[in-house]
Structures are given as structure tokens and as C-alpha cells.
Amino acid sequence: MATRKSSKSQTFEKQMEDLQTIVNNLEQGNVPLEESINQFKDGMKLVNSLQKQLSGAEKTLAKVIDEQGQEKEIAQDDQTSFGKFNGSKDTTDANMSDLF
């Protein structure tokens, strides 16, 4: 597998694509053991990076701008449902990581 750029310099979508490639390679089982271990390590780094990005996005989405233009946290009681995700999960009751 080609050497990757730091996950911090790649877009979220590119990191997801790279992770999917790694998963596909490992699922096929036709990669030598040492390369499988290296790909697994790379995949775990990507997972950690993606989780951090999702957590940051979740925190950003959990803020609103008040009338004076100041950011404030949304109280749990103030959150509204923005519809269902994956057909059954209410976005107010799920963490971002649970949605994917």
C-alpha cells in the first residue's frame, strides 16, 4: 500500500475512503501477515482521527448563536429532532458515532 499523508492533512472523506480500502483488503485476506498488521495499525489511526473529527463536529452542532451573537450550548431539553437517521435513530438520542 502506498505511503499515506498525515491524516490531519487529508479531508474527512479521503480518510473514510482510505479506511474502506484497508477494511476491504483485510476482509479479502490476500494480504501478507506483516502488511495486514501495518494496514490494521493505519486503519486504527484513521478511526481515531475520524472519531475526533466527528466529536468536534458534534460539539459544533450542539451550539447555537443567541440573540446577541454569542455561542451557547444547547440544553438537552432544548434539542429538537431533525428527523430520523438510518430509518430508526433519532438524532437527539444518539451520538454522532452511533449514527454511522
Side-chain angles (χ1 to χ4, degrees):
M1 179 168 272
T3 304
R4 295 180 212 284
K5 293 181 183 178
S6 165
S7 60
K8 294 181 188 216
S9 66
Q10 293 182 352
T11 66
F12 182 87
E13 293 77 13
K14 177 63 173 138
Q15 289 178 63
M16 285 293 293
E17 182 182 310
D18 289 347
L19 181 58
Q20 187 61 53
T21 299
I22 290 170
V23 169
N24 290 341
N25 287 342
L26 294 175
E27 284 180 344
Q28 290 174 4
N30 57 2
V31 180
L33 179 61
E34 190 169 321
E35 180 63 22
S36 293
I37 292 169
N38 289 332
Q39 286 188 23
F40 180 80
K41 288 178 184 178
D42 289 344
M44 291 307 299
K45 289 177 187 175
L46 286 168
V47 166
N48 290 331
S49 175
L50 291 164
Q51 285 178 331
K52 287 178 186 175
Q53 290 178 61
L54 285 174
S55 178
E58 184 176 37
K59 288 176 185 175
T60 299
L61 292 173
K63 293 181 180 179
V64 293
I65 305 296
D66 66 15
E67 294 80 28
Q68 291 79 33
Q70 301 295 315
E71 284 186 357
K72 69 176 189 176
E73 295 290 325
I74 298 175
Q76 186 68 26
D77 296 344
D78 294 341
Q79 292 183 3
T80 59
S81 175
F82 294 103
K84 303 287 182 178
F85 216 21
N86 289 338
S88 63
K89 292 191 177 183
D90 187 335
T91 58
T92 60
D93 296 327
N95 291 324
M96 288 293 285
S97 59
D98 293 335
L99 300 175
F100 299 99

